[in-house]
Amino acid sequence: MAKPPAELAEEVRETVKDRKSYLGVIDRLNKASVDKHWEAYADIPWDDPDYRIDQDDPRWILPADDRLGSTAWYRAQPVEVQARIGLWRVATAMKIGLQFENLLKRGLLNYAYRLPNGRPEFRYVYHETTEECHHGMMFQEFVNRTGMPIKGMPRSLSLVAQLAPLIPLVSTELFFVFVLGGEDPIDYVQRKWLKEGRTKHPLEETIMKIHIAEEARHISFARHFLKHRAPRLNRVRRLALGLFTPIVLGVMARIMLSPPGSMIRHFGIPQDVVREAYRNEAARVELRNCVAKIRDLMGELGLINGVNRRVWAAFGIWDEPKQARKAAKTAA
């Protein structure tokens, strides 16, 4: 049984100056997938008594600095209700995660289907697909063991999302923006929770650490793919990619960070409490922060202009990219 990583893995970040360096990144990611990987039913001790899920376990209670956990309404609930709300939220995040990764796997296989012989991306894509299969299994197993009626994405959104695996048939670059739009926000949240010690239950912590370690590779590939391909796009495709990117990110970030509607209904959370917890400046800052790395990447690739900047702002995810902030400080 492989132990979860003691330290959180960081994505590989290199300057992709030419095809040789791009291929070097893929080689390192392929090797990492062979050397360090986890299996859902071999590397997680599901039946260990310490890993058992109890809906009333106080370790699920949201901390006082959590947006919902800090409300007077939440703190006034019986401790078992507080615990169940906390568990419901964790399980919903995992259910949405496995649904997103289901779409991701189908899109990756559509991309790989058309790759010619000898392309190193083929092997990497199959490594990633295998890892995502194990993520889906461990997420669903966690959800099953809660005994809660967790739904995941709203039905209407789930129906629309079925188009996502077809994106690589139109634009592989936009597909990997979609990949980052689903992976970066949850990676941001999970790293933040682990760093702040919010994750108390050993099963949740183990799943998070495994997920972060392997997602670091997936995020790295998507970023380097875009760095390699975006500069080679013609003007029309670059404009289209720059325009659709904030739309994809704005939708995906909200899916990952918004409170589950089923949780609100199940526990009868008043709308004024939802507004207090999730529709304030702190929530807007977190929304912007969770896509900061992708926004910086788009700025680095020259894909942000005066027109699509308004789209970023309309979706509430605009902030000056890192390069622009550095240039402003230098000029000052």
Side-chain angles (χ1 to χ4, degrees):
M1 180 185 295
K3 293 182 179 179
E7 296 182 1
L8 301 185
E10 295 294 338
E11 67 189 74
V12 175
R13 291 198 183 192
E14 299 181 24
T15 302
V16 181
K17 295 179 179 179
D18 51 33
R19 181 166 177 77
K20 183 178 179 181
S21 58
Y22 167 67
L23 295 178
V25 170
I26 296 177
D27 285 344
R28 284 186 282 282
L29 293 174
N30 282 336
K31 184 177 186 303
S33 286
V34 173
D35 293 343
K36 204 77 170 178
H37 62 272
W38 291 265
E39 296 190 14
Y41 289 100
D43 297 319
I44 299 176
W46 295 103
D47 296 323
D48 186 322
D50 291 338
Y51 280 58
R52 188 176 69 86
I53 295 176
D54 178 354
Q55 293 184 3
D56 299 334
D57 190 330
R59 287 177 293 185
W60 301 119
I61 294 176
L62 302 175
D65 59 350
D66 180 88
R67 293 208 303 276
L68 179 60
S70 65
T71 62
W73 179 88
Y74 180 81
R75 296 196 304 272
Q77 302 305 304
V79 291
E80 61 271 16
V81 173
Q82 293 185 40
R84 292 183 183 207
I85 290 174
L87 177 57
W88 189 293
R89 201 172 69 174
V90 171
T92 298
M94 292 198 186
K95 185 69 175 183
I96 291 174
L98 75 89
Q99 289 170 331
F100 164 75
E101 291 183 348
N102 180 287
L103 302 170
L104 169 65
K105 291 191 287 284
R106 285 186 275 158
L108 285 171
L109 293 175
N110 275 335
Y111 166 60
Y113 187 87
R114 299 188 299 165
L115 287 174
N117 296 340
R119 285 285 290 273
E121 293 96 337
F122 181 92
R123 175 183 163 185
Y124 171 77
V125 163
Y126 270 74
H127 278 310
E128 179 168 339
T129 303
T130 301
E131 290 162 4
E132 297 292 13
C133 283
H134 283 286
H135 296 175
M137 285 189 283
M138 67 183 183
F139 288 165
Q140 186 63 58
E141 186 66 27
F142 181 97
V143 171
N144 292 346
R145 288 175 181 247
T146 67
M148 291 176 158
I150 304 298
K151 300 294 185 183
M153 291 185 192
R155 184 182 297 273
S156 58
L157 183 60
S158 183
L159 289 173
V160 174
Q162 301 311 308
L163 297 173
L166 302 178
I167 298 176
L169 305 181
V170 179
S171 170
T172 50
E173 294 79 20
L174 184 60
F175 174 71
F176 282 105
V177 167
F178 166 77
V179 170
L180 290 174
E183 291 182 340
D184 256 18
I186 194 63
D187 185 72
Y188 168 85
V189 171
Q190 289 183 336
R191 288 177 183 274
K192 185 169 181 279
W193 283 11
L194 286 172
K195 184 178 179 180
E196 295 174 354
R198 293 191 183 196
T199 305
K200 305 294 186 185
H201 196 284
L203 178 56
E204 181 190 9
E205 182 180 7
T206 298
I207 289 174
M208 273 194 183
K209 285 184 174 180
I210 291 173
H211 187 245
I212 288 171
E214 295 188 328
E215 288 300 324
R217 296 196 285 263
H218 307 170
I219 291 170
S220 180
F221 177 78
R223 290 175 62 87
H224 285 92
F225 181 91
L226 289 169
K227 287 181 179 181
H228 178 62
R229 291 285 291 269
R232 293 166 171 76
L233 296 176
N234 63 40
R235 183 173 179 274
V236 172
R237 291 177 71 87
R238 282 177 62 83
L239 288 173
L241 184 61
L243 182 62
F244 282 106
T245 291
I247 297 173
V248 171
L249 298 182
V251 172
M252 295 299 295
R254 280 176 168 77
I255 293 172
M256 300 298 175
L257 298 186
S258 295
S262 58
M263 182 184 78
I264 293 169
R265 292 187 294 272
H266 185 85
F267 293 100
I269 304 176
Q271 283 302 311
D272 61 328
V273 174
V274 175
R275 285 192 293 271
E276 176 189 350
Y278 293 101
R279 297 170 192 170
N280 52 41
E281 184 56 27
R284 288 187 283 272
V285 168
E286 185 169 52
L287 186 67
R288 294 195 296 270
N289 287 345
C290 78
V291 297
K293 290 182 181 179
I294 321 173
R295 191 175 54 239
D296 290 344
L297 175 62
M298 294 301 111
E300 178 186 337
L301 296 175
L303 292 173
I304 296 177
N305 57 38
V307 175
N308 64 46
R309 187 182 289 112
R310 294 188 180 91
V311 183
W312 286 87
F315 277 93
I317 54 174
W318 174 249
D319 199 356
E320 286 293 338
K322 187 185 296 182
Q323 284 188 328
R325 295 196 301 272
K326 285 183 178 178
K329 286 182 179 178
T330 302

